Amino acid sequence: MRISYQWLKTLLSEVPSPEKTAEWLTGCGLEVESMDTYETVKGGLAGCVVGEVMTKEKHPDADKLSLTTVNVGSDTLLNIVCGAPNVAAGQKVIVALVGTTIYPGNGEPLTLKKAKIRGAVSEGMICAEDELGLGKSHAGIMILDPSAKPGTPAAEYFKLESDIVFEIGLTPNRADAASHWGVARDLAALTGSPLKFPDTQTPAPDKSLHISVRVEDPKACPRYSGITISNVKVGPSPDWLRHQLETIGVRSINNVVDATNYVLHELGQPLHAFDADKIVGKEVIVKKLPKGTPFTTLDGVQRKLDAEDLMICDAEKGMCIAGVFGGQHSGVTEQTKNIFLESAWFDAVHIRRSSKRHGLKTDASFRFERGTDPDITVNALLRAARLILETGGGKLSSGIVDVYPEPAKPFSVHFSYARCARLIGKDIGKEKIKSILKLLNITIAAEAGDVLQLEVPPYKVDVRRECDVVEEVLRIYGYNNVEDPQTLRTSVNPGDRPDKESLQVKIAEHLSSCGFMEIFCNSLSRNEYLEGLTSIKPEYNVNILNPLSSELNVLRQNLLFTGLEAISYNRNRKNADLRFFELGKVYARYKPEVALSSFHEEEHLAVFLTGNNHAASWHSPQRKSDLYILKNEILQLLKRLRITTSLKEMEGSDLYAYGLELRSGKQPIGHLGSVASKHLKKFDISEPVFSAELNWTLIFQLLRGNSEVVFHEVPVYPEVQRDLALLLDRKVKYAELEKLAFDTEKILLKEVHLFDVFEGEKIGKDKKSYALRFVLQDEKATLTDKQVEKTMERLVNAYKEKLGADIRS
C-alpha cells in the first residue's frame, strides 16, 4: 500500500519528518518497507532557472544557430549557443546550467557541460518544453511570462511538487489502516496531533433527479447510501488531482472516476459512479440474480453469475457486481451528464467469495472483503460529491438516500488491567492505558475495579477480544518501551517421543538414499477421480465450498491420484524411470449422511515405482520395476522402524490390479500393489505403476510405544542351514509356509528364505514346488546334528499335516 507524505499533512495538524514518520509507523505495526521520492517532473528541474535573453546575434559559422547572452540572476551573463528559431532578446526563458541533468520526454537523460559549438563557447542550454519533460512540443524554446524574475528556480516558477511515498506492508488484520485517513489516525494516536477530516461541505440539492434505493438482502448489504449529481462535464482531471493519484500509482481516467478513487485512498471507502440516465426505472435494487445469469463487466468479459453474487441492479438488469467490479453498460463515459453515486457497506464474506469466484481483485474488493467502516459511507459520499462538483461542475440533484435498517453497534469487550500487564510484560499504569484507549477512539462504557467494559468502533474490524485491545494499547505505547525482564519464566513441553518431525526427516533420508525423490502435491484434487470407486467413496469427500476450478474441488482422500499426476507430468517430459515418495495429508468425512459431519485428517506415506528399476550396463541387464522391488523397499523401511508386519493378499480392490495389505498384528497399516490400468489411462500413462500407501498417523502411534533400540551381542555359536523342497497345492502362499515354520519352531529358527519356485506339467497343473532355506541357531551352545534333524523333522511333519505337502528329494 502506497501512502503519500504530503497527503498525510492535509489530514493532520502536525506531521513529523518523513524519516520519523516511517519510524513511528513501523513501530506501531504499519511496517514501512520503502520510502521513494515522487516528482511531477523527473529530476524536479534541479539546476534549471529562469533566465532573460539580453542579446542575440547570428552565429558567424552556422546559419541556424544564434549567439546569446543570458542573465540568470548572477553577477555575470552566460554565453549560450541556441538553435531555436524563436529565440529573441528580451525573452524570459528556462536555462539549464552547466552540470545539470535534464530528462527529456523522449530519449536518454543528458548532463550539460561547458562546450564549444562551431568555435563559440556555450555555458548552458535554453530549453524547449520537451527537453525538460514538461510537454511534447519541440517547435522552439519555452517563452515565459515577462514578469518572471531571472534566477528563480524553475521548480519554484512552475510550482512543481515533490512528495515522499511510503510503501507499507499492510497486514490482513489492519483493514482500518487501508487508507490515508486510517494511517493518519495511528499517527494522531502516536503524536497527539489533532486530525483534520477532509472538507465535505456541499451546496443544498435542488431535488430534480431522485433515484430510489431498495435493498432486498440486508444481510449482504447492511447499509447503502446514494446521491445524484446533474449536468456534470466528464473530462480530464485537473493537474492536482491527477498528480495526487499518480503519486500513489493510480492511473488517472476522468474527473468522476478519479474523484471516487481519490476518496477510496483518502478515507478507505470504495464508491461507484453510475450513469443515472442508464438506470432503468430510476430505481437501484440491491439483490441476487439467478445462477447462470450472464453479466458483462467493465473489462468486456461476459461472466456467468452465481446465485450468491450480490448485484446492484436497476428495474431490468444487473449493473455492477457489488463491491467488486462495475458493468460495461452502466459506467460513466464522456457522454455522461447525470450521475448516481454509490457508497455502501457490504458483508465481507459475500464480497470475498464473489471476488474469488470470478478471479477479480480490485482496490474496492480488497477493502470490502477485509471490512470497511459502516459509519463513513455518507461522509465519503459527500466528500466525493464535493470533488466532482469542483472538477466537473454540475449540481446536487437529490438528497442523500441512506438505507440503514440496523445500524452497526460497537464491539463490546471486557478488559482487565491485570491481564493487560501480564500480556505486555509490564504494568504501564491505568491512566496511560485510558489515555491510549481515548486516542484510539475506544470508549470506556463502564469501570468496576480492575475491569473495564469497552466499546470498540466498528471500523476496527479485527479488535473484538481482550487480547486484541491489549495489542492496540501496546502498538501505541511502543514495543521498544517494554524493557527486557531480569528473569524469564517458561514452561517446557517435552513433546512427543519419538519426535515426529525428526522421524519424518529420518524416513525421507532413508528413502532418498534408496534412490527415491520426494514430491509435494496439492491437497486439492478432482472429485471425478473417485467416480465409480468402491474402495474410496466419493460421498466421504470433503468438498470445497468455493473451489477455484472443477479440477480442484475436493480435498484428497488418498495420495494415489496426485502421485499419478506427478508421474504423468514427468513422463510427458521424457522422464520415465521414476521413484517417488510423498509424506502428505489426506482428508475424509466421518458421516457423509450428516450435512455438517465432522472431518477426519491423517498423514500418509506414499511410494511410487515405474519404468526401469535400473538401466542395462556391462555387468547387468536392464530390469523393469515390479511389485516385488516395491515390497522389499517397504518392508526394509518398516524394519528400520522396528515394526513387525504381515502381508495379506488384497481382494476386491478397484485401485489395484493386484495388491497386498500390510498389517501390524491385526491392525491394517497400509497396502501396496500394481495400479489398475483404468486409472493409468486417466493420466495417459502406458507403463505399469506400482504404488504403496502407509497410514503414517497410525504408524507413528505404534512407534510411540516402541521407541527403544535393543542391542544384542554378536552370537558366538555358528548358525546351521538346511534346505527343503516342498510340493504343494498351487493355492498355498509362501507367507503361509513362513508363518507355519515360525509357529512350529520358535527358539532355534532364525530365518526362512524362498530361493526357488517351480511350476510345470512334470509336477501337475495344480501343484507348485517351493525350495526353502532354513537358518537355525542356538545362542547358548553349538547345535548338534541330532537337534537339527529333530527340528527339521518337526517342520516336515507340520507341512505335511497342515498344508498337505510332499517332500521332494
Side-chain angles (χ1 to χ4, degrees), residues 366-421:
F366 175 86
R367 286 158 177 80
F368 278 130
E369 65 188 37
R370 285 162 175 78
T372 56
D373 183 1
D375 296 329
I376 207 171
T377 60
V378 171
N379 281 332
L381 201 62
L382 292 172
R383 175 63 172 161
R386 176 182 175 85
L387 292 174
I388 291 172
L389 294 174
E390 180 182 334
T391 60
K395 60 181 180 179
L396 287 184
S397 49
S398 78
I400 292 176
V401 178
D402 189 21
V403 180
Y404 196 17
E406 293 186 19
K409 297 179 181 178
F411 305 123
S412 182
V413 178
H414 288 279
F415 180 87
S416 163
Y417 290 118
R419 283 194 292 271
C420 178

Side-chain angles (χ1 to χ4, degrees), residues 46-48 96-102 110-114 123-125:
C48 297
L97 304 176
V98 171
T100 298
T101 300
I102 59 174
L110 174 66
T111 301
L112 300 179
K113 299 179 181 179
K114 186 175 181 179
E123 300 173 298
M125 177 178 175

Side-chain angles (χ1 to χ4, degrees), residues 122-320:
S122 186
E123 300 173 298
M125 177 178 175
I126 303 174
C127 301
E129 66 176 40
D130 69 324
E131 293 169 333
L132 296 173
L134 291 170
K136 297 181 180 179
S137 174
H138 194 68
I141 60 171
M142 294 182 68
I143 300 174
L144 309 181
D145 189 273
S147 63
K149 183 180 178 180
T152 304
E156 180 182 328
Y157 176 82
F158 289 111
K159 297 180 181 179
L160 296 186
E161 296 181 0
S162 63
D163 200 354
I164 300 296
V165 180
F166 305 108
E167 186 69 44
I168 293 179
L170 190 70
T171 52
N173 65 317
R174 293 306 312 277
D176 62 301
S179 65
H180 285 76
W181 180 246
V183 173
R185 275 192 301 235
D186 269 9
L187 278 176
L190 290 164
T191 64
S193 176
L195 285 163
K196 299 184 294 182
F197 196 84
D199 192 352
T200 60
Q201 288 190 351
T202 55
D206 64 8
K207 300 183 180 180
S208 60
L209 177 59
H210 177 72
I211 292 179
S212 61
V213 174
R214 175 158 50 97
V215 178
E216 293 187 359
D217 192 338
K219 181 180 179 182
C221 178
R223 186 175 193 180
Y224 191 94
S225 309
I227 197 170
T228 61
I229 306 173
S230 300
N231 299 323
V232 174
K233 182 175 177 57
V234 178
S237 295
D239 288 345
W240 73 265
L241 178 54
R242 179 169 53 83
H243 289 155
Q244 190 67 75
L245 292 175
E246 288 174 352
T247 299
I248 57 172
V250 177
R251 181 174 61 89
S252 176
I253 298 173
N254 59 52
N255 53 345
V256 174
V257 175
D258 288 356
T260 61
N261 283 335
Y262 185 92
V263 174
L264 180 146
H265 290 281
E266 183 176 54
L267 300 179
Q269 173 62 33
L271 302 106
H272 189 73
F274 297 92
D275 188 325
D277 296 327
K278 296 177 182 177
I279 300 177
V280 178
K282 301 303 178 188
E283 182 181 30
V284 170
I285 308 168
V286 185
K287 63 180 181 178
K288 294 172 181 175
L289 295 177
K291 184 174 182 178
T293 302
F295 180 71
T296 304
T297 46
L298 273 172
D299 54 3
V301 177
Q302 187 181 84
R303 305 173 190 276
K304 297 292 185 181
L305 298 178
D306 188 86
E308 290 303 309
D309 290 331
L310 186 67
M311 297 293 294
I312 311 300
C313 309
D314 61 18
E316 292 183 352
K317 62 187 181 303
M319 299 189 296
C320 176

Side-chain angles (χ1 to χ4, degrees), residues 74 120 147 210 278 317 323 339 440 527 620 659:
S74 60
S147 63
H210 177 72
K278 296 177 182 177
K317 62 187 181 303
I339 292 170
L440 292 169
N527 182 48
S620 62

Side-chain angles (χ1 to χ4, degrees), residues 59 65 67 81 113-123:
H59 194 296
L65 298 180
L67 302 180
V81 177
K113 299 179 181 179
K114 186 175 181 179
K116 278 191 176 184
I117 301 176
R118 295 289 182 91
V121 174
S122 186
E123 300 173 298

